[in-house]
Every structure is written in structure tokens, then in C-alpha cells.
Amino acid sequence: MNILIIGAGGFIGSHLSEAILKNRPRWNITAIDISSAKIEHLLNYSNFNFINCDILKPSEILEDVIQRNDIILPLAAIASPLVYVQDPLRVFELDFEANLHIVRLSAKYYKRVIFPSTSEVYGMCVDDEFKEDDSNCVTGPINKQRWIYSCSKQMMDRVIYALGIRDNLDYTLFRPFNWIGPRLDDISNPNNGSSRVVTQFLSNILHGKNLNLVGGGQQIRCFTYISDGVNALLKIIENKNNCASKQIFNIGNPSNKLSIKDLAFKIKQLALTYDRLKENAEKIDIVDISACDYYGEFYQDVKERVPSIRKAKNILDWFPVVSMDELLKMTMDFYFK
């Protein structure tokens, strides 16, 4: 099997590439990204071919490599709320326009597409748990620019689905719910909003800054360890008996459900057990801050985001196994041990 991973140097791409090389040695990977920093340890594998390419720039490389591969995973995306509100057009250009080009080429050459949707497509849906084929996708007003990420991803979902109907495109959409683990973000940047929530808290403690609870930290999220997410992706790629074809899957861990406020206290308590963090963890506070002060006027938050994973369990025979405490410990061990 020949697999093209676009964005292989990112968080999900690097872990997926690593898992394939370790567990599926007969699969060949063509990896595209603008940086190989997170995958330097993979470059010597004979079945791993890295190509430095910026998909935002015109190039014949993309069409060529799509023709030569069986499965296309367009993983390159901007997934930072601060960027959604400060540079929304950059989000649109990469997450929608660049990926639309990739998907159209994949359809042209009859390739299978495994596309990373997002839990954000459900937006402010009021369901107790989000169901892939039933829950509404609800976003806020146009002046809340944070929704451009959700809308870009949702439009890609709809285009891919429509191509599946009209042109019989073989696809799978997967929706990650707060995947966490090593290599998630660069925690050396002390600026607010430079990372996602877990790594932002780790960065704040590392730099002796308070942990900010946007809107009081009452938001509910479900956190998933990267190995659980990657195991689901391996099953999707394998696609036994075409079980994953033309399906949408939530990939999350409802058992790891907690508020951002509870997350902050968990991380601070765990930080006390690390030599590099102990002194700062003792000094810093956990404080409330308004969403406007933290992200700016174009932000809007979601109260609760909980996935139904029944489809993934029933169709893929997949379920998450890493608990919240284990997830945090393994992630912090990577950064601080």
C-alpha cells in the first residue's frame, strides 16, 4: 500500500508515520511538509520518502505524488483558535482552498481520501453527545471570526461527501476530539494563545505565568491520547471489507471528560512532581480571564463538546484505552523528563 501523508511533519502526521513504519513495514509512505523537524528520526527508513513542499504555492509535485499513491491523507491544517481570530484568511487558504485542490486531484485520479474533519464542525450544537450522521452543525454570527475554521472544515466535509455521491469518491472523514501527546506544540513560546490548551498550560508553568481560565474554565472537553487516535487511523487505512469507506467517525474519549478549570488544577498538581516545574508551579495562580481579553473580540466559545463513538466501536472495532491521568503523565514526561 502506498500512502501519501500531506502534513506528515505535524502532530498527527508524525505519530501516524511513526506507527506505520513500526507496525506496518510493508506500507510505503510519501511524506510532504515544509519541515521535517518532528520526523527526523524517520528519514532513514527505506519506505519513507520525505518531500519538502509548501502546498500553498503552485507546484506540479502534488499532482505527481497523488497519481503515484493509493491513499491520500491531507493532514496539513491550522488548528489554533488564536489564529482563527487574528488571521482568518490564512486559515481559509490552507484549511479549505489548499485542501480542496488536493481532494479534487484525488477524485480526478480515483484515489481514496482519508480527511481530518474536526470536532469543531458541530460548533454550538446542543446535543448531549455529538453523532456523526445526526447532530446539527451550528456556528455563530459572521463577526465571530473564530468560526472560519469550523466552516472551512465543514465545507470540505460537504464537498467530499458530494464527490462520493456524484463521482463515487472513496473517502473516510474522521473527527478528532482534543488529541493530546508528545510533539503536540512548541511550549517554548510563552505567549498566550500560542498553543492548544494542555500545552498552553504547560508552557505557562514552564515560564512562571498564571494559568488563565477563559470565561472561568467551565467549558467541557474530552481528551484523547495520540496513540488511541492513531490506532483508529490505522484501522481506517486498513479498511477491512471496506468498512470505513464513505463513513464519518468521531475519534475521541468520552471517559476523559472534564472542564478546563479541572484540567488546570490537574496539570498544576502534576507539575509539582517535576523538578523543572515544581518551583514555578508552587508560585503561579489559576485565574479567570474574559474571552475578549484573551482572544479578542472575534472569539466565541463552546460550552460542551462530547463525542458519541458508537460508530467507531461498532464499525472499526476501535475504542480508546488511555485515561486522563495517563495521558497527562505521558505528555508531561515527554516535555519535562
Side-chain angles (χ1 to χ4, degrees):
M1 190 181 296
N2 298 314
I3 302 169
L4 173 62
I5 303 178
I6 300 168
F11 172 55
I12 294 177
S14 66
H15 283 278
L16 176 60
S17 297
E18 196 173 63
I20 289 173
L21 295 173
K22 180 180 178 181
N23 302 305
R24 305 294 192 276
R26 296 181 65 184
W27 295 2
N28 300 304
I29 299 173
T30 299
I32 285 181
D33 213 313
I34 57 175
S35 171
S36 61
K38 294 182 179 181
I39 50 175
E40 288 291 338
H41 60 300
L42 307 179
L43 298 181
N44 290 329
Y45 280 83
S46 60
N47 55 335
F48 186 82
N49 176 35
F50 176 73
I51 300 173
N52 189 301
C53 176
D54 185 347
I55 64 172
L56 287 171
K57 297 178 180 178
S59 170
E60 296 179 358
I61 292 175
L62 267 181
E63 186 161 3
D64 178 59
V65 293
I66 286 172
Q67 288 184 72
R68 291 190 282 107
N69 283 274
D70 307 307
I71 295 177
I72 315 302
L73 286 107
L75 301 182
I78 294 170
S80 169
L82 189 66
V83 182
Y84 308 163
V85 298
Q86 291 188 348
D87 197 354
L89 293 180
R90 180 180 163 211
V91 175
F92 175 75
E93 288 159 2
L94 177 58
D95 292 15
F96 181 76
E97 289 185 319
N99 279 290
L100 179 62
H101 178 58
I102 291 165
V103 168
R104 282 177 166 163
L105 287 174
S106 301
K108 176 181 177 180
Y109 294 109
Y110 306 100
K111 304 302 180 178
R112 182 168 175 238
V113 175
I114 300 174
F115 188 78
S117 180
T118 172
S119 61
E120 291 227 1
V121 298
Y122 298 109
M124 295 182 291
C125 178
V126 297
D127 294 353
D128 292 334
E129 58 176 14
F130 299 157
K131 298 177 182 177
E132 300 93 333
D133 303 311
D134 299 307
S135 290
N136 291 327
C137 300
V138 184
T139 56
I142 300 302
N143 62 13
K144 299 301 182 183
Q145 293 190 132
R146 70 99 68 226
W147 294 115
I148 198 163
Y149 172 71
S150 171
C151 291
S152 295
K153 286 288 192 178
Q154 185 190 146
M155 274 304 299
M156 284 306 309
D157 288 1
R158 295 187 185 279
V159 168
I160 290 169
Y161 185 92
L163 286 169
I165 297 294
R166 191 190 73 179
D167 299 341
N168 201 30
L169 174 70
D170 189 4
Y171 69 85
T172 304
L173 304 176
F174 69 96
R175 292 177 177 159
F177 279 71
N178 291 84
W179 290 13
I180 303 298
R183 303 195 294 269
L184 176 59
D185 289 307
D186 178 7
I187 64 170
S188 64
N189 186 344
N191 295 329
N192 287 336
S194 61
S195 303
R196 283 157 280 196
V197 63
V198 169
T199 38
Q200 184 68 62
F201 285 164
L202 298 183
S203 179
N204 281 24
I205 297 173
L206 179 65
H207 294 94
K209 299 174 67 176
N210 290 337
L211 304 188
N212 293 303
L213 300 180
V214 177
Q218 299 304 310
Q219 310 92 326
I220 302 295
R221 299 291 184 266
C222 297
F223 297 89
T224 312
Y225 194 59
I226 184 63
S227 63
D228 281 335
V230 165
N231 286 339
L233 288 182
L234 292 176
K235 288 177 177 286
I236 289 170
I237 294 170
E238 287 172 337
N239 198 24
K240 290 183 178 179
N241 300 316
N242 294 319
C243 68
S245 289
K246 297 187 177 180
Q247 296 286 353
I248 307 172
F249 296 106
N250 291 332
I251 308 298
N253 191 337
S255 297
N256 289 346
K257 180 174 76 170
L258 78 168
S259 71
I260 300 303
K261 183 175 183 178
D262 289 339
L263 174 69
F265 279 99
K266 267 184 175 290
I267 288 178
K268 181 179 178 180
Q269 190 64 33
L270 190 54
L272 294 171
T273 66
Y274 290 83
D275 291 340
R276 290 180 61 191
L277 300 178
K278 186 175 185 297
E279 184 177 352
N280 282 351
E282 290 173 339
K283 295 178 180 178
I284 64 167
D285 293 319
I286 297 174
V287 299
D288 292 352
I289 187 172
S290 73
C292 186
D293 287 341
Y294 191 84
Y295 285 117
E297 62 178 307
F298 302 122
Y299 186 74
Q300 190 172 30
D301 218 329
V302 177
K303 180 180 178 182
E304 189 164 329
R305 191 177 291 155
V306 180
S308 165
I309 57 171
R310 282 188 286 277
K311 275 189 71 176
K313 286 182 175 179
N314 294 337
I315 295 175
L316 299 176
D317 189 29
W318 171 87
F319 51 90
V321 297
V322 182
S323 71
M324 192 69 210
D325 288 341
E326 292 172 319
L327 176 160
L328 290 176
K329 181 69 165 59
M330 289 190 287
T331 302
M332 292 177 71
D333 281 352
F334 168 79
Y335 285 107
F336 302 118
K337 278 197 172 179

